[in-house]
Amino acid sequence: MAVATQPTFEAFGAKLTKFGAHDVVYYEGDEAKRLYQLASGTIMLFKLLPDGRRQVVEILRPGDIFGLSAGEEQDCTAETLTEATVREVDLKQVEASVDLQRQLTKCLTNQMNILHEHAVLLGRKSAVERVASFLMYLVPNRGGGVGCVGPDPSKSDDGCDLQLHMTRQEIADYLGLTIETVSRVVSDLKRRGVIRIDRSDKIHLNRICGLCQMTGIH
Amino acid sequence: MAVATQPTFEAFGAKLTKFGAHDVVYYEGDEAKRLYQLASGTIMLFKLLPDGRRQVVEILRPGDIFGLSAGEEQDCTAETLTEATVREVDLKQVEASVDLQRQLTKCLTNQMNILHEHAVLLGRKSAVERVASFLMYLVPNRGGGVGCVGPDPSKSDDGCDLQLHMTRQEIADYLGLTIETVSRVVSDLKRRGVIRIDRSDKIHLNRICGLCQMTGIH
DNA sequence: CGCGAGATTGATTCTACTCAACACTAGTGG
DNA sequence: CCACTAGTGTTGAGTAGAATCAATCTCGCG
């Protein structure tokens, strides 16, 4: 039930770097020689097709690691969504330490599971289910990302303010949709009273459980 | 250029298990307490939505590891596509060894990159591009999975026999399509002379480069 | 030979995309 | 203070691509 707390890469000569919002940490194709861990803020990883189509493949949270690649090059571009601080560790450092390795494995496994879930979203879910899943993903303390607390609206399970930190375009590119479809679905959720839109990137969930019912996982 | 060779988990008390074709190694929800490495054969990992929609999230090859989960439970079902042998290692074993950890990281990183690529396919590619990408993925010694050797058909870059080991349904569930769409696209590729179908799961690529041009990555 | 699972093909429907117009917001400068 | 602008978001109309529904085919096997 308890969400696994992400380990953090302490000391070990880790260099802390600050980034502004919408800064690029590295580009797809850059040399991959360091390990990064997000210390604070939000970062997205995305890939581009030559004709400009973009897919956001991961949305990183504090504790998540990135920058590793099977080859010599980065397979994604890493761009901040908000101000962010990033720990950098040299790969050699990591390889030498059992402890760092263990933490690394934990992080990678966690992110892998999220990628699996996201593949289901991209491959099998409708537009509404995608947007609902995305919003649920942003709710703090969901039951480990798996589902909602249950269809038991005791009292506190309702209402939640979300700060998206993403444009409609970024959301669309994450969900494999177009900007217009995202906008339509969001408007529709508003019309149905499931959410309230305070500002375009500030959304209030009126009924979390109701939203969770729309994710396709029930 | 050289494809990174997958490390294999030697000895370390690894138990070898044999599976027949279409055997289930574990189900989604099973307790996750062991690490598995595919020694030979092919295995797919998939997730199910409650209404029966299925998404194949990974197709594993010898050297790939699986069975790790961020939580206590498996997040996917693992089912063999062919006869397969699997190494099992206790998690404690792995945690104790720097060497195993290092190999593990390498495997996970590699699979992560493939998952990223697959997210692009599911989120942004057309049906034709998906099928073309899938077939290219099955070609041995592609340039590390990234692309084709180049538009230089010197002589040997053409012709390649593929054994799919998958039904149309399994392919469809991997590509986020329906069985009918996969069938139509395959028929279309045949009609256009790009491939030849020897048996429904045995396909000959006539022009690899031509096919690669249809993957969307050029 | 007949059966059944898997694959193919056709006709139709529907979801999300495309194209296009318009609205909202914040920032700029007269 | 208020146009003006640029970037972002919303909404509408029409379309295209894949899904759905349904019929037929293929092939291996008892």
Side-chain angles (χ1 to χ4, degrees), chain B residues 127 177-178 180-181 184:
Chain B
L177 299 170
T178 59
E180 294 97 330
T181 301
R184 270 184 251 274

Side-chain angles (χ1 to χ4, degrees), chain B residues 12 24 28 30 41 45 62 67-69 118 127-128 138 142 152 156-157 179:
Chain B
F12 283 102
V24 169
E28 189 174 341
D30 281 0
L45 304 184
L68 287 177
S69 184
H118 199 232
V128 176
L138 297 179
R142 309 138 292 134
D152 170 70
S156 62
D157 187 38
I179 211 173

